[in-house]
Amino acid sequence: LQHCLHATKYFILECAVNNTMAEAPAEIHDCPGPESEKAGKVDSCQGCPNQSICASAQPQPPDPDLEVIRGRLANVQHIIVVVSGKGGVGKSTVSSQLAYALAQDEDVQVGVMDVDICGPSLPKIFGVEGQPVHQSGSGFTPVYVEDNLCVMSVGLLVKPQEAVTWRAAKKNGTIKQFLKDVDWGDLDYLIIDTPPGTSDEHMTLVRLLEKCNVSGCIAVTTPQEVALADVRKEINFCRKVKLPVLGVVENMAGFVCPNCKGESKVFPATTGGAAKLCDGMGLTLLGSLPIYPKLAQACDEGTAFVCPEWEGILTNLNARLADG
C-alpha cells in the first residue's frame, strides 16, 4: 500500500508539472507489492518510479510483532475501527458515544484506542486529561474512565496543549506500541478512533491488525455532499484493504432545540445524505444522530452523556456483528 501510494503521488505530481490528465499507470492498480517475489519484474511495474528499487531489493521478512499483537489482542471479542475520510464529522464523539453506550451494561468490558496522533481529543471527552499511564511487567495500563471502560491515547502521554509534531515513522511506531505493549486484558469491544483520511495511520493499522480478528469499521459522515464525497473514498479504501464496513453513522443530522424539542436540519442532505450513500454502495445505515447541545457540553466537561438514538444504533450494529 505504501508503494502504491508513492506511485500515485509521483503520477499526480508528474501530471501537475506537465499539465496533463493522462490515464493512471497500471502499477497503481496492479502493484504486486514490495514484499512480492514479482516486485519490479512484472508488466504492471513498467513505468513505476520504484521499479529498479523493488527489482533489486530483497523481499521483506514478515514482521514478528504481528504475532505478538495477535497474542495481545487474543481476548478481545470485537475490534471496531471508527473511520471517515472527512475531518470534523465527529469521529471521536461517535467513538466515545459508542463506548459509553456499550459500557452501560456493567458486564461488558470496553476499551478505546485513540490513534488520532496529532489531534487526540478522547482524554478531554472522557475527562481523564492529566491521568498517568502506568507501566508494569505486563505492559502499559490504559486509563480507566469507568470500571468497565478504559482508554489509551497520545493525549495521555503529552501535555494537554503540546503540539504533536511527529513524522510518519514515529506515529506508526506509536500505533504499534498501543497494540503490542498496552495490557488491554479481556475486552468485549476494542474501539479504535482514527484520524481523517486514508494515509499512514490507516495503512499501518490495517497491516498491524492483519492477523487479528477485526470485526470491521464504522464510517461516520454528516449529511452534506462535501462530507459524503470523502466518506465514499474512505469506504473504497476499506474495501481495497479488505476491512469490512459494518455500517454508516450519520452525525449532526439535525439540531434538537433544548427548549421546544423541535428539530431543524442544519446540514441539508442535498444529495440524499447517508441513506442515499448506503443505498448506492450496498451498506447498512446504522442510524442518525442529531446535534445535542448537552452532548457538546458533556464532551467539553468530560462527563458521560449517551444520546437516546444509540439504542437503535446498537441494535443494528449487533445484528451486523452477528452476521459475521
Side-chain angles (χ1 to χ4, degrees):
L1 282 172
Q2 290 175 336
H3 176 82
C4 292
L5 181 65
H6 181 81
T8 307
K9 188 176 183 181
Y10 178 88
F11 170 73
I12 293 172
L13 288 173
E14 186 177 45
C15 287
V17 171
N18 298 326
N19 196 27
T20 62
M21 286 300 292
E23 184 179 355
E27 73 271 7
I28 293 176
H29 307 290
D30 304 318
C31 172
E35 295 85 3
S36 172
E37 295 180 356
K38 299 178 180 180
K41 302 173 184 177
V42 295
D43 290 343
S44 61
C45 296
Q46 298 299 318
C48 176
N50 292 325
Q51 182 181 9
S52 60
I53 298 174
C54 290
S56 60
Q58 293 294 323
Q60 293 293 320
D63 186 346
D65 285 335
L66 298 186
E67 289 294 338
V68 178
I69 291 171
R70 180 170 69 170
R72 176 68 82 177
L73 301 180
N75 293 326
V76 178
Q77 298 302 311
H78 296 291
I79 299 174
I80 300 175
V81 185
V82 179
V83 302
S84 178
K86 192 69 174 175
V89 297
K91 290 181 301 302
S92 296
T93 303
V94 169
S95 295
S96 64
Q97 284 278 288
L98 174 58
Y100 274 132
L102 291 168
Q104 286 180 320
D105 184 342
E106 294 180 356
D107 294 328
V108 173
Q109 299 295 319
V110 183
V112 184
M113 181 190 303
D114 186 1
V115 299
D116 191 345
I117 305 297
C118 294
S121 55
L122 286 180
K124 177 70 172 178
I125 292 174
F126 282 126
V128 293
E129 274 188 314
Q131 294 293 319
V133 174
H134 298 287
Q135 185 177 12
S136 66
S138 59
F140 294 96
T141 301
V143 172
Y144 276 81
V145 182
E146 297 176 356
D147 289 342
N148 62 333
L149 172 58
C150 62
V151 61
M152 176 57 76
S153 169
V154 167
L156 297 168
L157 306 176
V158 299
K159 296 177 181 179
Q161 296 185 16
E162 182 179 345
V164 179
T165 56
W166 298 348
R167 295 188 182 274
K170 189 169 183 179
K171 290 194 290 184
N172 296 341
T174 300
I175 294 172
K176 175 183 278 193
Q177 190 172 26
F178 281 180
L179 292 169
K180 181 173 71 77
D181 297 332
V182 173
D183 183 12
W184 292 104
D186 298 338
L187 293 178
D188 295 289
Y189 299 91
L190 176 61
I191 301 163
I192 303 179
D193 182 31
T194 67
T198 54
S199 192
D200 289 320
E201 293 93 335
H202 305 80
M203 292 186 289
T204 295
L205 188 64
V206 169
R207 181 180 65 83
L208 293 175
L209 291 174
E210 66 181 37
K211 293 184 177 293
C212 300
N213 185 25
V214 180
S215 299
C217 69
I218 294 174
V220 181
T221 187
T222 46
Q224 73 275 34
E225 180 58 29
V226 169
L228 294 168
D230 287 340
V231 174
R232 292 188 192 96
K233 299 172 188 175
E234 184 79 33
I235 291 168
N236 287 329
F237 165 81
C238 292
R239 288 173 169 172
K240 185 172 184 178
V241 299
K242 298 180 173 55
L243 178 62
V245 181
L246 297 170
V248 176
V249 170
E250 185 177 55
N251 197 26
M252 308 183 206
F255 170 72
V256 178
C257 176
N259 296 318
C260 70
K261 308 303 179 185
E263 183 175 341
S264 58
K265 301 299 180 183
V266 178
F267 302 110
T270 55
T271 58
K276 185 68 176 294
L277 178 144
C278 290
D279 288 342
M281 302 191 77
L283 300 172
T284 299
L285 178 59
L286 298 175
S288 296
L289 295 167
I291 299 172
Y292 283 101
K294 189 175 180 180
L295 174 59
Q297 181 180 354
C299 289
D300 282 348
E301 295 176 351
T303 57
F305 173 78
V306 179
C307 303
E309 288 78 9
W310 275 100
E311 182 177 356
I313 294 174
L314 288 186
T315 298
N316 295 330
L317 175 60
N318 287 327
R320 291 286 292 122
L321 293 173
D323 290 340

